[in-house]
Amino acid sequence: MEIHDVSDELEIKVKKYQRGEGADLESLKDKKLKGQLANKEDLFKKSANAAAKAEKWLMQTEEGWLEPDGLEKTWRFSQQSIANEVDVASRKNQFDLVLPDLGPYTLDYTSSGRYMVSAGRKGHLAIIDLHTLKPIKDMQVRETVRDAVFLHNELFFAVAQKKYTYIYNRAGTELHCLKEHGAVLKLQFLKNHFLLSSINKFGHLHYQDITTGQMIGNYRSGLGRSDVLQLNPYNSVLTSGHSGGTVSMWKSTSSAPLVKMLCHRGPVTAIAFHPNGHLMATAGMDKKLKIWDLRKYEAIQTLPGLAKSLDFSQKGMLAASTGSFVQVLATSDSQDYSRYMIHTMAKGYQVNKVLFRPYEDVLGIGHSNGLSSILIPGSGEPNFDSWVANPYETSKQRREKEVRVLLDKLPPESIMLDPTQIGNLRNTKKKEKPTQQETEAEKAAAIAAAKNVPLKKKTKGRSKPSKVTRKKQEGIEQAKRSFVEQNKEDGVMKKKQKRMTDPSELPVALQPFVSRKTT
């Protein structure tokens, strides 16, 4: 009986990893195509079975969830009632650090979720080991601090201070002063490319390689001051929100944004990305929270409410904060986001940032009076991959991983909207346009050839020097005329490319940025 139950469970997991219905091989007459498709179907079945077995035997930890009884609502459960039901190790993740004179606070976690860096606006910096809840370093820089992020591991972190951006090590020693970034408002770190990116108070975007110190990109957004900057984990594209309700997507090798979307009828206050990279959440001063499908650039859900900070968890939950109120949204059976949990801070606490902790059912909150950590069942990934992020790694494993990720570092040119295009062959062009120097050289050769054309000697005065000169001049003009006509054709093609695109063919969010100049 046990074996039957195990096989049934395995069949359910296999169905989850199957790639839809198989091809109808019986209706095919081509034997070669039939054999190729049969081999592919066998490979698909083997991969689905292997993935199902790996999930069953290697990923045994299941995610938690709040299950209401009858007419109960999950958002009515308080943190106290949850803490009374969980184990001691999980209860330890629920805490409050009251630091009223140094806030408001912002925070960041390492990719493994073990370490947290906190930064108070009035200069307080701290690194905390969340397994032992002991501070590794606590220091005061005596200067305004706007943001702080970890770099590739917990040994280094970058801090956006009043005038410049600084890089410190875990002991609190200042390693670098990055003056080129200016007065930075927001920082982001691209861990696959080892790029530290920032946006300053003048709206300038900077990309700097922290392995070589080289400044990869320095671009003007052209949309004014912005303190909303978020990284898409799927394709490493940076997204900034601006006061006109516009959201722009950038890569490190392009001075122009890849995409510009009109998301709100007012300033954008927060942006967050789903871990799969296909969903984006935005909030604006128009008191709307929108969920966007980036494959179509369309809003698939609009919720009422103002949010100052947004963040997606590893399991797709969305946390939003406004004032002293925090709510967590989760997808239901209808795939729409609805209220899952709520949490109200003490009176007078103004939430500055919310951030889910990786591999834990924990939501970190930075507010005006310190830091808080609350339990959100089902938000974190229960099974971690020690090759990617190991919360229990030793110093030797950390050194080996640092060497490995440096060898696997991706070049800045690999950042693009669709990373699946990397490695594909570019379609060959029918005709490559020659350069200006090649065109001039070809034109000079054609004129020289026209000058040296031998003319047949004719009688009755038809070979007079004046007539010979006129014929040669006509040949030269004919050679020049072909190049003039070619330039005209190129100009017509350029004008066709610049013609106005029909706005009705584009998503609503992209229509305001279509050129309306007629040609």
Side-chain angles (χ1 to χ4, degrees), residues 42-111:
D42 290 339
L43 286 175
F44 291 158
K45 288 178 182 177
K46 288 179 182 178
S47 64
N49 285 324
K53 288 178 181 178
E55 181 183 350
K56 177 172 176 55
W57 301 114
L58 300 179
M59 302 172 64
Q60 297 184 356
T61 307
E62 296 181 358
E63 61 185 273
W65 197 261
L66 286 179
E67 295 183 357
D69 293 331
L71 298 176
E72 281 185 331
K73 301 294 183 182
T74 55
W75 49 269
R76 291 190 179 275
F77 291 113
S78 65
Q79 287 295 310
Q80 184 62 42
S81 61
I82 294 174
N84 293 335
E85 301 297 330
V86 298
D87 59 302
V88 176
S90 298
R91 196 180 306 151
K92 189 174 63 173
N93 292 325
Q94 192 183 52
F95 61 84
D96 287 294
L97 293 176
V98 181
L99 303 163
D101 300 326
L102 303 171
Y105 274 82
T106 184
L107 69 155
D108 188 39
Y109 294 108
T110 56
S111 58

Side-chain angles (χ1 to χ4, degrees), residues 247-280:
V247 167
S248 305
M249 299 183 184
W250 306 83
K251 68 175 183 177
S252 57
T253 55
S254 174
S255 59
L258 301 175
V259 176
K260 286 176 74 176
M261 300 171 59
L262 182 63
C263 295
H264 294 275
R265 300 294 178 182
V268 178
T269 57
I271 299 173
F273 287 95
H274 194 280
N276 64 16
H278 300 317
L279 292 182
M280 178 179 71

Side-chain angles (χ1 to χ4, degrees), residues 331-393:
T331 52
S332 57
D333 296 334
S334 61
Q335 300 300 317
D336 287 337
Y337 276 88
S338 58
R339 185 162 49 178
Y340 175 63
M341 285 191 68
I342 60 174
H343 179 69
T344 305
M345 307 298 298
K347 188 176 181 181
Y349 286 19
Q350 297 297 306
V351 178
N352 184 48
K353 185 174 182 179
V354 291
L355 189 65
F356 281 101
R357 181 179 165 190
Y359 303 105
E360 294 284 351
D361 293 345
V362 172
L363 176 66
I365 303 172
H367 49 80
S368 57
N369 283 43
L371 298 162
S372 298
S373 180
I374 61 174
L375 300 178
I376 308 294
S379 63
E381 172 61 48
N383 301 285
F384 63 87
D385 186 352
S386 59
W387 187 258
V388 177
N390 185 6
Y392 305 99
E393 69 180 359

Side-chain angles (χ1 to χ4, degrees), residues 223 228 239-248 260-272 280-292 297-310 318 320 508-513:
L223 296 169
V228 180
T239 305
S240 58
H242 303 278
S243 58
T246 305
V247 167
S248 305
K260 286 176 74 176
M261 300 171 59
L262 182 63
C263 295
H264 294 275
R265 300 294 178 182
V268 178
T269 57
I271 299 173
M280 178 179 71
T282 62
M285 292 295 287
D286 56 355
K287 296 184 179 180
K288 289 182 180 178
L289 195 158
K290 296 183 179 182
I291 311 293
W292 298 83
Y297 296 103
E298 292 180 358
I300 57 176
Q301 189 178 359
T302 302
L303 300 168
L306 178 67
K308 185 178 180 182
S309 178
L310 295 172
L318 177 62
V508 179
L510 302 182
Q511 289 178 11
F513 304 102

